[in-house]
Amino acid sequence: EAQVTQNPRYLITVTGKKLTVTCSQNMNHEYMSWYRQDPGLGLRQIYYSMNVEVTDKGDVPEGYKVSRKEKRNFPLILESPSPNQTSLYFCASSLLRNTGELFFGEGSRLTVL
Amino acid sequence: DAKTTQPNSMESNEEEPVHLPCNHSTISGTDYIHWYRQLPSQGPEYVIHGLTSNVNNRMASLAIAEDRKSSTLILHRATLRDAAVYYCILTFMDSNYQLIWGAGTKLIIKP
């Protein structure tokens, strides 16, 4: 089954404790992206990747890092989480960056205390 | 950057057609129009997309105005499972390849 898998789905952590949210897709997609969703603000893009070893900043990259060492994986790293990073995070992938269907994961709800 | 404008919410009766409007008056010639929906507690789900011509698929139809400054997503027979937030998004052909998501339209289906 074609899917985008995120882990963990739920996480409560404390300020400053590094964490990684993993994202994996099994569709051989080149394009992958991370979004955060906050009430009243819609989805905002954090980082995206056009292919292996190619990543770029989205609208709200501050406080986040990503890597794309393999085509299927695109982890989101919070080196020193802060409470303003409490949010619902979605990973997505697509075969074609602008015209193709974006496939989304089920989301990871992160709370930073 | 071209943005979209959608009503905050709409209501419809079950089994009736629903027309969800979207304005994108600053759209450029190479921007695609995408529609996604998000059901409660789920990730967004692709619905349909188009460039200039009207499009149909098993989920919905997309009607694009001749000047491309607006579009309408049409659900032919709404069911309770169609209750969701619907997003109209333009995709850019520039070097950033970003999607700009608005607040969407919350569709309420009344039984």
Side-chain angles (χ1 to χ4, degrees), chain A residues 50-111:
Chain A
M50 303 299 293
N51 211 329
V52 175
E53 302 293 358
V54 180
T55 63
D56 272 299
K57 297 178 180 179
D59 289 327
V60 288
E62 294 77 21
Y64 304 95
K65 286 174 60 177
V66 292
S67 69
R68 188 92 183 272
K69 293 182 170 54
E70 305 167 283
K71 200 171 189 178
R72 63 182 293 126
N73 296 322
F74 190 45
L76 180 70
I77 304 156
L78 285 74
E79 292 272 3
S80 182
S82 61
N84 65 12
Q85 292 178 298
T86 293
S87 187
L88 179 58
Y89 292 87
F90 289 102
C91 179
S93 74
S94 173
L95 185 60
L96 298 171
R97 53 186 178 266
N98 270 334
T99 63
E101 174 182 349
L102 263 180
F103 290 82
F104 282 84
E106 293 186 327
S108 297
R109 185 167 292 281
L110 171 65
T111 301

Side-chain angles (χ1 to χ4, degrees), chain B residues 67-104:
Chain B
D67 62 5
R68 299 207 330 126
K69 293 183 185 298
S70 65
S71 60
T72 302
L73 178 70
I74 302 164
L75 307 179
H76 295 287
R77 280 184 73 204
T79 69
L80 295 177
R81 289 179 297 176
D82 291 321
V85 178
Y86 286 78
Y87 296 95
C88 168
I89 306 155
L90 302 182
T91 57
F92 304 100
M93 297 297 286
D94 66 9
S95 59
N96 288 333
Y97 302 111
Q98 290 188 23
L99 299 181
I100 306 298
W101 297 67

Side-chain angles (χ1 to χ4, degrees), chain B residues 1-6 22-26 33-34 87-90 100-104:
Chain B
D1 292 343
K3 287 188 168 51
T4 62
T5 304
Q6 299 176 254
C22 181
N23 287 321
H24 28 79
S25 58
T26 58
I33 302 160
H34 285 232
Y87 296 95
C88 168
I89 306 155
L90 302 182
I100 306 298
W101 297 67

